[in-house]
Amino acid sequence: MTFRSLRWRIASFYIALLIGVIIVVAAVLAVQLRSLLLDEARAKITRVGGDIAQLVRGDSALSAIGDTAPIAQELTATGALDHWAGPTTFVEIDTPQGYPIAKSTNMGGASFAPTIPTQRDPVVYSTENRPPLGSLLVRSELVTYPGSALIVAVGESLEVYDDTLLRIRDLLLAVIVVALLVVVAGSFAIAKSALDPIKRLSAAMGEIRSDRLSRRLGWSRRRDELGTLAAAFDAMLDRLEEGFARERQFISDASHELKTPLTVINANAQMLERWAARDPAVRDDSIAAIRDESAALANMVNGMLLLAKAESGEDIPRERVALEGIVAEAIGATRGRANDKGLELAYQPSPSATRAAVLGDAGLLRQLVTNLIDNAIKFTKRGRIDVTVEVESGEARAVIAVADTGSGIDEQSLGRIFDRFYRTDASRNRAIPGTGLGLAIVRSIARVHGGTVTAARRPGGGSEFRVSLPMLTTFQ
Ligand code: ADP
């Protein structure tokens, strides 16, 4: 386990978060508590200081009775201030210049720092540290009375408050340590339970090879994000396995299809070798056979290359293609062959045809239409071939249709004619030239453009092929 692992990162994130939260809470708590305790101390010394000041000014009930000695003098007598002092409260009387003249006994030899309030600002609060009294909040008041003035200083020890704060700090520290332990253990446990499946997933991925695609995770019972990931992984393997199987099938079919013309070429070459000099008829037949078969071979290889291109998907150029123009070009390229067979090849314009445009490769789309028309010509003896282009209601899809009055396609073959190398028995038996790749190419071209192709038998005989493609929207 390295420090850069997710597990560490998750754990350290939670630890940092916790420490941050605790520090903020502790700081807020300490500040609040301190101000609360200070308020309490301040209230206490204000009360005591106020009492003494009242007495000194002579407006208290005590002096009103007519006490003989001036109260200020009385207060400076030893132990007189103890009446106001307490275990945490200290009292001192100073001259207006700040020299101590009397103290409560509990102050011992210590005295407050000289703080001299003025007439304008007669009450001053200060915090100070006076050993051995410790830290104190001191209220000094300048009290004037007929004939003189003195300073009444009352100090409240903050030690007890500081002790409380210290105890709270220790408690917080203990909480931090325990919380840290819990968070470290908890986040490691959570991270482990979350990341272990990922480990297993990467191990499973490492085992996948093109010849070992049958491995599946099968975590269908997991309902969380990792279950979704595992399901996506299994589905990807399904597709890969299917794709590899299709490729293997293609290679085997292609080799088989290429073998037939090659065998014929080879046999005829041997015939030529043996008989060419002696029998001109054999020679001519053999040369003709070699020419035809090598042309078929070239056709097949071209078809395979085209199929590979149509299936490459992402690499094809994407430009705006007007379908009417493509159809016109395909009809132009095939009209000669239709005429040779005495077939009428016509484009049936529809009102929406001019709007029919898709995003894609013009060359491939032309090939798609040409293949459909070529087939229609090949499998139609007499009659006509009609090509239409229209936009479906909703303007989402455009449809190119090629209909003929030919042999039609039997029900069983309808589902298979788009397979690679598939040719109906009828076309094989009648030795109609072909590779069985034409419609596979049509389907691949439709697919890379996000479209579909369907074939149907026409009620009056003949076939109709419909290619439906997503329209180019104005936003694309
Ligand atoms: P190919 O034309 O080279 O044989 P395709 O893939 O183009 O291969 O067509 C597959 C088969 O589908 C053809 O062999 C033929 O049997 C049938 N087919 C295709 N188009 C038509 C059509 N317009 N009418 C009748 N049958 C057709």
Side-chain angles (χ1 to χ4, degrees), residues 3 9 27 141 157 194 201-202 223 261 331 351 372 391 398 417:
F3 289 105
R9 278 192 250 167
E141 181 176 359
S157 165
L201 194 67
S202 42
R223 294 261 166 266
I331 289 179
L372 291 178
V391 174
I417 50 172

Side-chain angles (χ1 to χ4, degrees), residues 152-187:
V152 175
V154 183
E156 177 68 17
S157 165
L158 295 177
E159 295 289 290
V160 52
Y161 305 116
D162 286 345
D163 275 359
T164 315
L165 282 176
L166 277 178
R167 269 207 306 280
I168 289 175
R169 197 192 64 191
D170 290 349
L171 198 76
L172 276 176
L173 273 178
V175 169
I176 289 179
V177 171
V178 172
L180 271 186
L181 289 178
V182 171
V183 165
V184 170
S187 46

Side-chain angles (χ1 to χ4, degrees), residues 371-380 402-404 406-410 413 416-428 432-442 462-465:
N371 280 13
L372 291 178
I373 299 177
D374 265 341
N375 274 356
I377 296 171
K378 250 189 335 190
F379 299 104
T380 306
V402 178
D404 62 48
S407 61
I409 304 160
D410 58 287
S413 301
R416 299 196 53 198
I417 50 172
F418 294 102
D419 292 350
R420 293 181 286 201
F421 300 113
Y422 182 80
R423 307 186 68 209
T424 60
D425 290 341
S427 55
R428 278 189 197 273
I432 296 173
T435 58
L437 289 176
L439 288 180
I441 292 170
V442 167
S463 328
E464 183 177 27
F465 286 81

Side-chain angles (χ1 to χ4, degrees), residues 166-407:
L166 277 178
R167 269 207 306 280
I168 289 175
R169 197 192 64 191
D170 290 349
L171 198 76
L172 276 176
L173 273 178
V175 169
I176 289 179
V177 171
V178 172
L180 271 186
L181 289 178
V182 171
V183 165
V184 170
S187 46
F188 265 92
I190 293 175
K192 187 172 153 53
S193 76
L195 299 175
D196 273 0
I198 293 185
K199 249 187 182 171
R200 272 190 284 151
L201 194 67
S202 42
M205 284 175 172
E207 282 174 25
I208 307 292
R209 291 204 326 242
S210 63
D211 56 342
R212 278 220 308 253
L213 283 171
S214 55
R215 179 95 160 81
R216 294 290 180 278
L217 289 170
W219 293 355
S220 51
R221 295 227 315 274
R222 258 195 109 103
R223 294 261 166 266
D224 55 5
E225 291 84 346
L226 290 169
T228 317
L229 180 68
F233 176 71
D234 283 354
M236 183 191 76
L237 283 181
D238 284 345
R239 287 196 300 275
L240 273 180
E241 198 174 18
E242 200 185 298
F244 272 100
R246 239 195 353 251
E247 287 319 305
R248 272 196 293 272
Q249 186 62 41
F250 178 68
I251 291 170
S252 120
D253 290 348
S255 324
H256 181 78
E257 294 294 328
L258 293 175
K259 213 171 120 190
T260 316
L262 281 174
T263 314
V264 176
I265 290 171
N266 187 269
N268 280 288
Q270 287 180 21
M271 290 279 275
L272 274 180
E273 200 174 42
R274 247 187 257 162
W275 300 100
R278 274 178 273 168
D279 192 336
V282 171
R283 185 194 62 201
D284 292 349
D285 284 353
S286 293
I287 289 176
I290 289 175
R291 185 196 57 215
D292 291 349
E293 291 302 320
S294 54
L297 211 55
N299 249 344
M300 180 95 67
V301 172
N302 279 338
M304 277 157 50
L305 287 175
L306 203 60
L307 198 59
K309 185 179 175 206
E311 285 184 350
S312 65
E314 306 305 300
D315 307 338
I316 66 163
R318 304 245 169 218
E319 57 195 3
R320 183 184 185 280
V321 182
L323 294 184
E324 224 183 9
I326 290 295
V327 166
E329 285 167 20
I331 289 179
T334 49
R335 187 173 297 287
R337 289 197 283 282
N339 287 346
D340 290 349
K341 278 186 84 175
L343 299 171
E344 191 174 335
L345 172 57
Y347 172 60
Q348 305 291 350
S350 78
S352 61
T354 46
R355 295 201 305 278
V358 300
L359 190 69
D361 181 343
L364 285 180
L365 288 167
R366 197 180 306 115
Q367 184 72 50
L368 174 151
V369 184
T370 310
N371 280 13
L372 291 178
I373 299 177
D374 265 341
N375 274 356
I377 296 171
K378 250 189 335 190
F379 299 104
T380 306
K381 278 207 183 96
R382 67 186 72 85
R384 51 184 299 116
I385 295 153
D386 289 306
V387 187
T388 51
V389 174
E390 59 196 20
V391 174
E392 277 183 355
S393 62
E395 304 279 315
R397 299 186 84 81
V399 176
I400 305 170
V402 178
D404 62 48
T405 54
S407 61

